[in-house]
Amino acid sequence: MPLDSPAHPWPAETIWAQVFPLLPDFTVEVLPEIDSSNSELMRRARAGQHEATLLVAERQTAGRGRQGRVWQSQAGDSLTFSISLALSPQDWSGLSLAVGLSLAESLHANVRLKWPNDLWLEDRKLGGILVEAASMGGRSQVVVGVGLNIRPRPSEGLSTAPAALSELLPGCSAADALARVAYPLIETLLGFEAGGFAPLHPRFDARDVLKGRRVHTSDGQQGLALGVSRGGALRLQTDLGVQEIHSAEISVRPFI
């Protein structure tokens, strides 16, 4: 059943009514197809459009993840959306962790977090986050992109089949998932502007899927993950001591 059918209406008006008291210039848009919701909001930010916006794409033809990866998105199979806000936090460190935590807490107790930007279910990727920023005329506009697997996705070319939200919440549509996560995520973003990641650290730690596991990084380091710091860095016990990793791709290694 298409997600834009009467059985699965997008909760645009409900979300707008929730957010309006916090952000009076807030708008919600749902587009049937676009290259990338993040790309579109970044284009708008660079053109001087700074309105707080939630942009939902039913289908993305050129969705993007970290490191230039492609996020395939078909209507009904996944939820893909981006939020654009003018934010000026004292420290941007840990923003993607705050986003992931908000999503996980809104979705299900079994959703875990893989530093720095993935949602995991039973050691399989459930969703991803892409955070970008544009600065124009002294203003900083952050664009937070989210992709969640709603239904099982093809696993060709992948070492592990992706997870799907339907495993946890049977019958949950993309529209239902958006209704769960949108308002809490915007609250989290505004809270992050005021207080950063540190107040969220204990809750992230409780869902940290890497802590206590051997990992290796895309820049060649390896060791035992000790969790994340209050600043959002991954703490890694290596042969040279404890290192703080601020940006890298992480792969999990089995215990040896």
Side-chain angles (χ1 to χ4, degrees), residues 199-246:
L200 307 176
H201 177 266
R203 286 152 54 195
F204 185 95
D205 188 67
R207 292 180 184 252
D208 186 351
V209 77
L210 295 182
K211 188 175 181 179
R213 302 175 76 163
R214 294 195 63 81
V215 304
H216 65 102
T217 72
S218 55
D219 59 5
Q221 298 190 71
Q222 59 181 310
L224 184 70
L226 302 178
V228 302
S229 70
R230 289 174 60 83
L234 177 66
R235 300 178 66 245
L236 190 64
Q237 178 69 59
T238 73
D239 293 339
L240 300 176
V242 177
Q243 309 292 322
E244 289 202 350
I245 312 298
H246 296 275

XYZ file of all heavy atoms in Angstrom, residues 199-246:
368
model
N 25.362 16.514 28.539
C 24.217 16.054 29.331
C 23.595 14.757 28.797
O 22.898 14.063 29.544
C 23.225 17.220 29.214
C 24.059 18.408 28.855
C 25.153 17.871 27.994
N 23.847 14.442 27.523
C 23.263 13.251 26.907
C 24.169 12.033 27.030
O 23.767 10.914 26.701
C 22.987 13.520 25.421
C 22.159 14.761 25.096
C 22.057 14.938 23.587
C 20.782 14.679 25.720
N 25.395 12.247 27.499
C 26.402 11.193 27.501
C 25.953 9.913 28.205
O 26.125 8.810 27.661
C 27.700 11.714 28.116
C 28.770 10.700 28.225
N 28.972 9.958 29.376
C 29.694 10.267 27.335
C 29.969 9.126 29.190
N 30.437 9.293 27.969
N 25.364 9.977 29.410
C 24.984 8.728 30.081
C 23.957 7.918 29.293
O 24.023 6.681 29.279
C 24.412 9.205 31.423
C 25.001 10.563 31.636
C 25.117 11.154 30.267
N 23.025 8.609 28.635
C 22.006 7.887 27.866
C 22.598 7.273 26.608
O 22.218 6.167 26.210
C 20.857 8.832 27.528
C 19.985 9.129 28.752
C 19.313 10.478 28.676
N 18.559 10.678 27.459
C 18.128 11.868 27.048
N 18.401 12.958 27.766
N 17.434 11.976 25.941
N 23.552 7.964 25.978
C 24.230 7.370 24.827
C 25.021 6.140 25.265
O 25.000 5.096 24.603
C 25.170 8.385 24.172
C 25.809 7.871 22.906
C 25.252 8.154 21.674
C 26.965 7.093 22.954
C 25.823 7.672 20.502
C 27.544 6.606 21.793
C 26.966 6.898 20.570
N 25.692 6.260 26.388
C 26.522 5.168 26.886
C 25.700 3.890 27.082
O 26.187 2.786 26.839
C 27.179 5.589 28.201
C 28.208 4.597 28.692
O 29.248 4.442 28.026
O 27.969 3.971 29.741
N 24.455 4.049 27.512
C 23.595 2.892 27.767
C 23.227 2.149 26.486
O 22.843 0.980 26.545
C 22.325 3.341 28.492
N 23.342 2.810 25.330
C 22.982 2.178 24.052
C 24.197 1.967 23.148
O 24.036 1.580 21.993
C 21.945 3.038 23.310
C 20.583 3.074 23.988
C 19.613 3.946 23.200
N 18.335 4.087 23.866
C 17.200 3.510 23.471
N 17.192 2.746 22.385
N 16.072 3.683 24.127
N 25.375 2.199 23.655
C 26.600 2.146 22.857
C 26.917 0.702 22.461
O 27.255 -0.128 23.314
C 27.746 2.742 23.668
C 29.041 2.869 22.883
O 29.119 2.340 21.752
O 29.978 3.486 23.407
N 26.831 0.388 21.171
C 27.036 -0.975 20.691
C 28.519 -1.328 20.573
O 28.877 -2.504 20.512
C 26.317 -1.181 19.342
C 27.092 -0.550 18.213
C 26.068 -2.653 19.063
N 29.410 -0.336 20.547
C 30.834 -0.598 20.375
C 31.560 -0.822 21.690
O 32.602 -1.483 21.715
C 31.502 0.561 19.635
C 31.081 0.806 18.185
C 31.892 1.967 17.604
C 31.251 -0.451 17.340
N 31.064 -0.287 22.762
C 31.771 -0.322 24.040
C 32.082 -1.760 24.438
O 31.213 -2.632 24.465
C 30.934 0.356 25.121
C 31.673 0.545 26.440
C 30.817 1.337 27.416
C 31.550 1.563 28.724
N 30.725 2.354 29.681
N 33.365 -2.010 24.733
C 33.794 -3.333 25.150
C 34.113 -4.278 24.003
O 34.400 -5.457 24.233
N 34.101 -3.762 22.762
C 34.382 -4.609 21.606
C 35.670 -4.150 20.923
O 36.025 -2.976 20.975
C 33.217 -4.553 20.616
C 31.911 -4.974 21.230
C 30.743 -4.798 20.300
N 30.699 -5.832 19.276
C 29.608 -6.085 18.547
N 28.497 -5.383 18.732
N 29.633 -7.026 17.626
N 36.334 -5.083 20.280
C 37.529 -4.748 19.508
C 37.093 -4.173 18.168
O 36.232 -4.743 17.485
C 38.410 -5.971 19.307
C 39.014 -6.498 20.606
C 40.158 -7.456 20.337
N 41.263 -6.803 19.640
C 42.196 -6.059 20.233
N 42.157 -5.837 21.541
N 43.176 -5.511 19.529
N 37.703 -3.051 17.809
C 37.341 -2.375 16.572
C 38.605 -1.939 15.847
O 39.695 -1.896 16.430
C 36.446 -1.142 16.833
C 35.195 -1.520 17.607
C 37.211 -0.052 17.583
N 38.461 -1.631 14.576
C 39.549 -0.957 13.870
C 38.977 0.191 13.064
O 37.830 0.168 12.639
C 40.378 -1.926 13.011
C 39.637 -2.544 11.867
N 39.790 -2.118 10.577
C 38.755 -3.572 11.832
C 39.041 -2.858 9.783
N 38.400 -3.740 10.508
N 39.787 1.218 12.880
C 39.330 2.457 12.270
C 39.826 2.546 10.836
O 40.772 1.872 10.436
C 39.824 3.679 13.053
O 41.237 3.824 12.828
C 39.570 3.518 14.546
N 39.196 3.434 10.083
C 39.556 3.600 8.677
C 40.943 4.207 8.505
O 41.513 4.138 7.416
C 38.509 4.476 7.981
O 38.349 5.713 8.667
N 41.510 4.796 9.570
C 42.861 5.343 9.461
C 43.917 4.406 10.041
O 45.049 4.810 10.320
C 42.956 6.728 10.104
C 42.577 6.718 11.574
O 42.325 5.620 12.127
O 42.547 7.802 12.180
N 43.549 3.132 10.259
C 44.538 2.122 10.601
C 44.724 1.814 12.066
O 45.532 0.951 12.411
N 44.006 2.472 12.944
C 44.137 2.170 14.367
C 43.232 0.996 14.740
O 42.224 0.742 14.087
C 43.778 3.392 15.214
C 44.672 4.591 14.978
C 44.438 5.681 15.999
O 44.797 5.538 17.162
N 43.856 6.786 15.561
N 43.595 0.305 15.808
C 42.764 -0.782 16.298
C 42.934 -0.896 17.792
O 43.944 -0.479 18.367
C 43.120 -2.093 15.620
C 44.550 -2.551 15.782
C 44.804 -3.844 15.046
O 44.069 -4.814 15.187
N 45.837 -3.867 14.219
N 41.907 -1.448 18.441
C 41.968 -1.594 19.884
C 40.603 -1.883 20.454
O 39.662 -2.249 19.740
N 40.490 -1.701 21.749
C 39.257 -1.974 22.482
C 38.492 -0.672 22.680
O 39.024 0.290 23.243
C 39.587 -2.592 23.835
C 38.396 -3.027 24.692
C 37.705 -4.235 24.084
C 38.863 -3.326 26.123
N 37.251 -0.639 22.232
C 36.427 0.560 22.398
C 36.014 0.691 23.857
O 35.450 -0.244 24.445
C 35.195 0.491 21.497
N 36.290 1.862 24.424
C 36.002 2.126 25.836
C 34.760 2.987 26.027
O 34.473 3.404 27.144
C 37.206 2.819 26.488
C 38.531 2.077 26.434
C 39.629 2.916 27.067
C 38.433 0.714 27.111
N 34.044 3.239 24.950
C 32.912 4.154 25.029
C 33.284 5.513 24.465
O 34.356 5.693 23.889
N 32.388 6.473 24.623
C 32.651 7.809 24.104
C 32.897 8.771 25.257
O 32.452 8.559 26.390
C 31.481 8.321 23.225
C 31.232 7.383 22.061
C 30.217 8.520 24.040
N 33.634 9.832 24.954
C 33.902 10.862 25.952
C 32.699 11.791 26.072
O 31.773 11.748 25.254
C 35.126 11.677 25.541
O 34.823 12.486 24.412
N 32.713 12.655 27.076
C 31.626 13.621 27.239
C 31.610 14.635 26.102
O 30.622 15.334 25.909
C 31.742 14.327 28.588
C 31.395 13.410 29.766
C 31.660 14.073 31.101
N 30.884 15.295 31.293
C 29.631 15.329 31.720
N 28.998 14.198 31.988
N 29.015 16.481 31.894
N 32.706 14.679 25.331
C 32.743 15.539 24.160
C 32.343 14.828 22.877
O 32.329 15.444 21.814
N 32.048 13.531 22.975
C 31.571 12.808 21.807
C 32.630 12.050 21.037
O 32.320 11.440 20.005
N 33.887 12.034 21.492
C 34.945 11.288 20.808
C 34.903 9.825 21.229
O 34.540 9.494 22.368
C 36.309 11.879 21.133
N 35.274 8.937 20.306
C 35.387 7.522 20.630
C 36.704 7.282 21.365
O 37.771 7.651 20.875
C 35.350 6.682 19.345
C 35.541 5.177 19.525
C 34.381 4.568 20.303
C 35.694 4.493 18.167
N 36.647 6.667 22.528
C 37.841 6.353 23.313
C 38.277 4.938 22.968
O 37.515 3.985 23.097
C 37.558 6.512 24.804
C 37.138 7.925 25.195
C 36.815 8.033 26.673
N 38.008 7.811 27.491
C 38.153 6.787 28.323
N 37.198 5.879 28.452
N 39.250 6.649 29.027
N 39.524 4.827 22.544
C 40.036 3.562 22.038
C 41.311 3.174 22.784
O 42.285 3.922 22.794
C 40.324 3.684 20.532
C 40.643 2.407 19.763
C 39.447 1.470 19.775
C 41.026 2.750 18.323
N 41.290 1.999 23.443
C 42.483 1.481 24.119
C 43.355 0.787 23.091
O 42.989 -0.245 22.533
C 42.087 0.487 25.217
C 43.276 -0.135 25.951
C 44.011 0.876 26.809
O 43.424 1.475 27.705
N 45.299 1.084 26.528
N 44.514 1.354 22.815
C 45.442 0.797 21.840
C 46.752 0.420 22.529
O 46.935 0.659 23.725
C 45.733 1.812 20.716
O 46.582 2.856 21.227
C 44.455 2.434 20.175
N 47.660 -0.146 21.754
C 48.972 -0.494 22.299
C 49.743 0.744 22.748
O 50.679 0.638 23.560
C 49.795 -1.251 21.250
C 49.216 -2.618 20.933
O 48.445 -3.141 21.772
O 49.508 -3.159 19.851
N 49.351 1.908 22.237
C 50.033 3.158 22.599
C 49.290 3.919 23.697
O 49.644 5.049 24.014
C 50.169 4.048 21.353
C 50.969 3.453 20.193
C 50.942 4.396 18.998
C 52.407 3.161 20.631
N 48.266 3.299 24.256
C 47.482 3.974 25.281
C 46.090 4.306 24.777
O 45.675 3.871 23.697
N 45.364 5.093 25.550
C 44.006 5.462 25.182
C 44.039 6.624 24.183
O 44.641 7.668 24.459
C 43.174 5.855 26.414
C 41.777 6.306 25.991
C 43.090 4.692 27.397
N 43.443 6.403 23.035
C 43.358 7.428 22.001
C 41.911 7.911 21.886
O 40.979 7.126 22.075
C 43.821 6.865 20.646
C 45.165 6.176 20.670
C 46.305 7.147 20.913
O 46.285 8.274 20.417
N 47.300 6.711 21.677
N 41.749 9.186 21.563
C 40.413 9.722 21.291
C 40.264 9.918 19.791
O 41.061 10.633 19.170
C 40.175 11.028 22.047
C 40.006 10.823 23.542
C 39.269 11.975 24.216
O 39.055 13.023 23.561
O 38.896 11.804 25.389
N 39.254 9.265 19.227
C 38.993 9.311 17.792
C 37.849 10.291 17.551
O 36.761 10.132 18.111
C 38.630 7.921 17.241
C 39.626 6.854 17.721
C 38.525 7.963 15.727
C 41.036 7.082 17.271
N 38.110 11.292 16.739
C 37.085 12.318 16.498
C 36.382 12.150 15.161
O 35.265 12.628 14.980
C 37.710 13.715 16.593
C 38.233 14.045 17.955
N 37.437 14.561 18.949
C 39.472 13.895 18.498
C 38.156 14.739 20.047
N 39.397 14.340 19.799
